[in-house]
Amino acid sequence: MTSFERFLINLDTWPAGAFLRIVLSLCILPVFRLLSGGDDRIVVALTMFLALLLALRLVPAVCRRVLPFSREAKDLWFKRRNLGKRYDSYQWQKLFWMGLGMLPYALISGGLVRGEIVLLAICTIGGGAGLLLWRRTGQLSVGAATAKATKLPPAAVASTPP
């Protein structure tokens, strides 16, 4: 596995994955405001958010097909996708970090409009519930599950916070 592949894999580990989602989420609400032209409808905010989530799924899928990644990296990503399919809470917990990233904007922007409040609530409440459910599955470490499947050391694969 190349160092670039390890870098990409480690982007989804604790704490880097949480930090990355928080930093990227700082931009979500301002970009949505810009794209919507200040439209305060909940359906517009939800539509844009669903489009963002779809893009977050499609772009990596296209990159995995187009770029020449090693078998190890592809196996690891395959295992993580299967883990996400098996446990919805694994995906939902990621929304929690996105919600935390939106909070600073909410605090400094002088208030949120209805659609932004709904997005923030979905991300923090739904994501927080997903985080709690993920912990209840006993799967505290994605790294343990993926390391076993790919024969990589646990430090080389993702894990969630202890």
Side-chain angles (χ1 to χ4, degrees), residues 25-158:
S25 297
L26 286 168
C27 304
I28 290 175
L29 296 179
V31 169
F32 282 8
R33 276 191 187 183
L34 183 67
L35 291 175
S36 70
D39 193 352
D40 184 21
R41 291 184 295 162
I42 293 172
V43 80
V44 171
L46 289 176
T47 302
M48 287 191 292
F49 190 64
L50 289 174
L52 173 67
L53 293 178
L54 182 63
L56 288 173
R57 254 186 107 91
L58 290 178
V59 170
V62 169
C63 288
R64 281 191 306 270
R65 291 218 186 260
V66 173
L67 299 175
F69 290 112
S70 70
R71 184 80 248 151
E72 278 182 305
K74 287 182 178 183
D75 287 345
L76 180 60
W77 288 323
F78 177 77
K79 181 67 176 175
R80 287 181 184 172
R81 287 192 310 279
N82 282 338
L83 196 61
K85 290 175 185 175
R86 186 171 178 198
Y87 300 104
D88 287 338
S89 58
Y90 174 61
Q91 300 299 353
W92 274 90
Q93 70 171 332
K94 296 174 182 180
L95 290 178
F96 178 74
W97 304 112
M98 292 175 75
L100 284 184
M102 290 183 220
L103 279 175
Y105 180 77
L107 296 173
I108 60 175
S109 70
L112 298 177
V113 295
R114 290 177 300 185
E116 294 168 347
I117 292 169
V118 170
L119 286 182
L120 189 61
I122 288 171
C123 288
T124 54
I125 296 169
L131 185 61
L132 292 174
L133 288 172
W134 175 248
R135 288 175 177 273
R136 291 192 72 203
T137 66
Q139 298 284 334
L140 291 180
S141 172
V142 175
T146 54
K148 183 178 177 183
T150 60
K151 299 180 180 74
L152 289 173
V157 294

